Amino acid sequence: EMCIRDRYQRRVRGDGMEVIEGEAEGQRKDIQLPLVLNPKTPTTKKDFLQWLSANKERVLTQLVQHGAILFRGFPLENAYDFNDVVEAFGCEFETYLGGGGPRKPIVGHVMTSTESPPHFTIPLHHELAYLTKYPSKLFFFCEVPAQEGGETPLCRSDILVERISKENPDFFQKVKEKKLRYHRTLSAKGPGTSNDYQKSWEDIFETEDRTEAEQRAKLTGADTIKWLENGSMDVVSIPLEGLKLDPRNQKTIWFNSAVLLHPAVYGTKMDTGWGTTYGDYSPIEGADLLQVVKIMKEESVAFKWQKGDLLIIDNFVVLHSRNSFTPPRRLLAALVK
């Protein structure tokens, strides 16, 4: 353990709160993904909140460098404690308008991370990269760790860019030049229309009025909208950049949802109603995305959640996912603009 006195204030408002770097099984130590921080001695939630408020800028600087920070061993027990933590950062919070993942609101800015079935593995992705509005940071809190599995794998986006550009330069260039479109068929509420992997269009756009839903879809990047006979809403996005330049570190990142929303990734047995094409509507070869999935697996890391863990992710530096698990498991989330 190394005391990080040079980077963080040791004392906050007279309290003897000291934070040290630690380790976690599954951590990638050469790039400290994630960076692990522990209290040097037992502390209180009040001291921790004061420490976070006083050291916010330094924490955010480290977040850009490492992509994710795991706070472990701090006195956080439930959703109320977690909400106090995210509010201590004093950030603006992002809504989930337009996001398809099934989630439930809990308290304040806190929601469940996902209600997707336990057997389902969610691929690595940047949060809401298929929309024009997406969070800059994600907060996760482990209230109940899974009996088995349920990790949240992490992968550095700049490392993905480096490998994809070298190992499949033609595909990389197509993504860069043509951009990407995302196609989602959003089912309506009602008997026989449920989808365990995606909310209804009424829940996604928080309205039961079709005109209002269309307007909200346009605000989040929809290009064309079509209503199907069964009441579903077919939405195709405008062409969106598949690569971005992070101005904070001048690194190019793989900021897209091509893997998340392409049927080739899920196989023939699962109909998600999702699709991804190039910006000119030409198809993306499944083999190209399966190669990206292979690289993602090789470059990702996964630590085992412990009760009370707090994870902060920079949504531009790191992709995240969710492994399948044996219930129960309760992971909470909050999105920051």
Side-chain angles (χ1 to χ4, degrees), residues 34-237:
L35 174 66
V36 181
L37 299 181
N38 310 127
K40 186 172 184 180
T41 57
T43 186
T44 65
K45 186 181 82 169
K46 178 182 177 182
D47 285 352
F48 182 43
L49 295 179
Q50 290 178 338
W51 186 92
L52 284 174
S53 296
N55 289 278
K56 173 185 172 181
E57 294 307 319
R58 291 180 181 272
V59 169
L60 295 180
T61 297
Q62 290 294 297
L63 195 58
V64 175
Q65 179 183 343
H66 297 280
I69 300 177
L70 174 64
F71 291 88
R72 173 167 284 175
F74 294 89
L76 306 176
E77 296 290 334
N78 52 45
Y80 296 94
D81 291 343
F82 178 44
N83 193 61
D84 289 342
V85 165
V86 296
E87 287 189 344
F89 266 79
C91 300
E92 283 190 76
F93 292 90
E94 187 66 86
T95 69
Y96 199 58
L97 184 70
R103 302 183 176 199
K104 293 179 180 178
I106 302 299
V107 61
H109 307 290
V110 173
M111 64 187 90
T112 55
S113 60
T114 179
E115 295 294 315
S116 295
H119 70 269
F120 181 54
T121 294
I122 301 174
L124 282 158
H125 62 284
H126 287 287
E127 191 69 27
L128 299 183
Y130 53 86
L131 303 178
T132 52
K133 294 184 178 181
Y134 36 76
S136 66
K137 298 166 193 66
L138 316 172
F139 287 70
F140 289 107
F141 172 68
C142 181
E143 193 170 47
V144 179
Q147 293 183 31
E148 185 177 349
E151 300 89 354
T152 301
L154 306 171
C155 180
R156 279 270 297 273
S157 197
D158 61 316
I159 293 176
L160 272 185
V161 164
E162 183 178 350
R163 286 199 55 183
I164 296 168
S165 63
K166 289 180 180 178
E167 297 175 31
N168 196 341
D170 291 341
F171 173 56
F172 184 84
Q173 199 61 27
K174 285 181 181 179
V175 171
K176 182 178 180 180
E177 294 176 357
K178 292 187 173 186
K179 303 182 182 180
L180 300 169
R181 288 183 188 265
Y182 305 108
H183 179 176
R184 295 186 295 161
T185 299
L186 313 178
S187 61
K189 278 185 175 179
T193 62
S194 64
N195 185 332
D196 290 337
Y197 310 99
Q198 180 173 257
K199 296 185 296 186
S200 68
W201 65 260
E202 292 97 329
D203 288 336
I204 288 173
F205 297 112
E206 301 174 10
T207 181
E208 295 185 355
D209 181 88
R210 289 190 175 191
T211 301
E212 184 66 27
E214 290 182 11
Q215 292 173 351
R216 294 180 181 181
K218 294 283 187 179
L219 287 174
T220 54
D223 185 14
T224 62
I225 299 169
K226 182 169 64 176
W227 294 97
L228 307 183
E229 289 185 5
N230 65 359
S232 294
M233 183 182 186
D234 201 63
V235 181
V236 180
S237 75

